[in-house]
Amino acid sequence: KYALHQVSYYLVIIISFFSSMNILGINISPLLMGSSVILVGIGLGLQNLFLDFISGIIILFERSIRVGDILDIDGVMGKVTYIKMRTTHLQTTDHRTIIFPNSTLTKNELINYSSSNNLNSFAIDIGVSYDTNVELAQKLLISAAEENPNISDMPKPYVRLVDFGDSSLNLKLYFSVKNPFGINQIKSDIRMNILYKFREHNINIPYPVTTIDYNPKS
């Protein structure tokens, strides 16, 4: 319905233009034929514009992206507010509006959090010192996630030891949320809770190791 409305809008404009010219008795055929060379040059210069229009038609009828979907495009998360023939408008979590050409959405990779199921998985990375009780750290991380009201009960949050870092054991907390649009605030709240719990149980988060280049003078 939305796609038909958008396409019909532009068709009405085009038909109205030609009808008005006909009513006024203006024959635009000679004008179009005489300016064919100019139109070819303009067409070459407007290839990207036509590509955006074609991409808009594909998006509208394929319905891979719809108004209300939550997208992640090159690290920018936003909710689709408008899908027009040439551009798509996203409202970000900080209430900015970003306008993407439709060809960007059809050519580049993006994440549509609204296209799968009602749950979306995210993760938070955190490092702890090597003398940490890993089992206790795991329980505290899971508890910090479960106490957040935006976290889904199924599947439950879980923790993995993903790597042995230079100065820390690198853990990753996995969890699922129903509404990913506020994920930045959700992650912030969980991190604050983790920090509180770790300090309460004397679990140390080590500073990252910095490498200093030393070039002795000859």
Side-chain angles (χ1 to χ4, degrees):
K1 183 178 179 181
Y2 184 85
L4 289 174
H5 177 269
Q6 290 293 320
V7 174
S8 299
Y9 172 78
Y10 287 97
L11 286 177
V12 168
I13 292 178
I14 294 173
I15 294 174
S16 299
F17 171 77
F18 284 104
S19 298
S20 300
M21 295 298 101
N22 187 43
I23 293 174
L24 295 173
I26 301 175
N27 185 9
I28 63 173
S29 297
L31 178 63
L32 292 177
M33 295 178 62
S35 60
S36 59
V37 177
I38 299 177
L39 292 175
V40 169
I42 294 176
L44 293 175
L46 299 178
Q47 285 182 357
N48 291 335
L49 180 63
F50 290 134
L51 179 60
D52 291 333
F53 272 100
I54 298 300
S55 299
I57 295 175
I58 293 173
I59 291 173
L60 289 169
F61 283 97
E62 189 179 56
R63 301 186 67 191
S64 57
I65 298 172
R66 294 175 288 184
V67 173
D69 284 358
I70 299 173
L71 307 181
D72 188 327
I73 306 173
D74 294 331
V76 177
M77 177 177 287
K79 181 181 293 185
V80 178
T81 55
Y82 296 101
I83 301 177
K84 299 185 177 182
M85 291 296 293
R86 192 181 67 84
T87 59
T88 294
H89 296 208
L90 262 69
Q91 181 183 9
T92 63
T93 54
D94 54 356
H95 306 292
R96 294 184 301 165
T97 298
I98 300 180
I99 302 174
F100 287 93
N102 286 330
S103 58
T104 301
L105 306 184
T106 56
K107 292 190 300 183
N108 299 346
E109 292 184 1
L110 58 84
I111 301 175
N112 188 343
Y113 290 107
S114 305
S115 63
S116 54
N117 49 36
N118 294 327
L119 296 177
N120 296 276
S121 297
F122 296 91
I124 292 177
D125 296 298
I126 187 168
V128 297
S129 59
Y130 271 88
D131 59 355
T132 299
N133 184 333
V134 179
E135 288 77 12
L136 175 59
Q138 180 181 14
K139 291 180 181 179
L140 295 176
L141 288 172
I142 293 175
S143 175
E146 290 178 337
E147 291 174 3
N148 191 293
N150 299 292
I151 301 302
S152 176
D153 295 332
M154 292 298 295
K156 293 185 176 181
Y158 62 94
V159 176
R160 285 179 177 169
L161 175 60
V162 295
D163 201 0
F164 297 98
D166 294 332
S167 61
S168 65
L169 297 171
N170 298 331
L171 306 176
K172 180 167 287 197
L173 169 64
Y174 295 88
F175 56 91
S176 299
V177 298
K178 294 182 179 179
N179 181 16
F181 190 61
I183 188 58
N184 291 330
Q185 185 61 47
I186 294 173
K187 284 186 174 182
S188 176
D189 294 340
I190 294 176
R191 289 190 182 104
M192 292 291 291
N193 201 5
I194 291 172
L195 185 61
Y196 171 77
K197 290 180 179 294
F198 276 18
R199 287 177 174 175
E200 184 181 19
H201 291 83
N202 297 317
I203 294 180
N204 182 38
I205 302 175
Y207 291 102
V209 176
T210 57
T211 302
I212 301 177
D213 294 331
Y214 177 66
N215 296 320
K217 294 182 179 180
S218 57

